[in-house]
Amino acid sequence: MKKPLRGGPRISVDNDRCELYGICQMEAPDIFKLDLDGRLKYRRQLGPGDFHQAAQAARCCPMQAVVLKGVSLKTRDEPV
């Protein structure tokens, strides 16, 4: 049984849409890793400084397979 994720910002990848181009890894290397066996591995839970890299990876994914969830304005850590 999978452990439930705690609240807060997280990443989701739609494996049916993902074509393994690796752009997410280029944009957010601390979050995504395309293994030699061709599988995408990623850290689902985002840390305090991960939002901008994760958002860039989601924006740049040509298949729109990367989705940010549990994001609020406070999470973004942008100046007001």
Side-chain angles (χ1 to χ4, degrees):
M1 181 187 291
K2 292 182 178 180
K3 291 182 181 179
L5 294 174
R6 63 181 194 253
R10 58 197 178 280
I11 289 276
S12 176
V13 176
D14 182 342
N15 290 319
D16 292 331
R17 295 185 83 162
C18 180
E19 294 291 331
L20 301 171
Y21 293 124
I23 295 170
C24 56
Q25 178 179 295
M26 289 185 276
E27 296 296 332
D30 296 335
I31 301 169
F32 296 93
K33 181 174 192 242
L34 191 56
D35 273 351
L36 295 176
D37 64 1
R39 298 180 79 189
L40 179 66
K41 296 188 179 183
Y42 60 97
R43 186 167 34 92
R44 292 176 192 260
Q45 199 70 37
L46 297 177
D50 293 333
F51 176 79
H52 293 289
Q53 278 190 22
Q56 188 66 11
R59 266 193 301 274
C60 291
C61 178
M63 302 309 293
Q64 297 296 292
V66 178
V67 178
L68 293 174
K69 295 185 176 185
V71 177
S72 69
L73 290 176
K74 184 179 176 187
T75 304
R76 291 184 185 177
D77 209 25
E78 292 177 351
V80 184

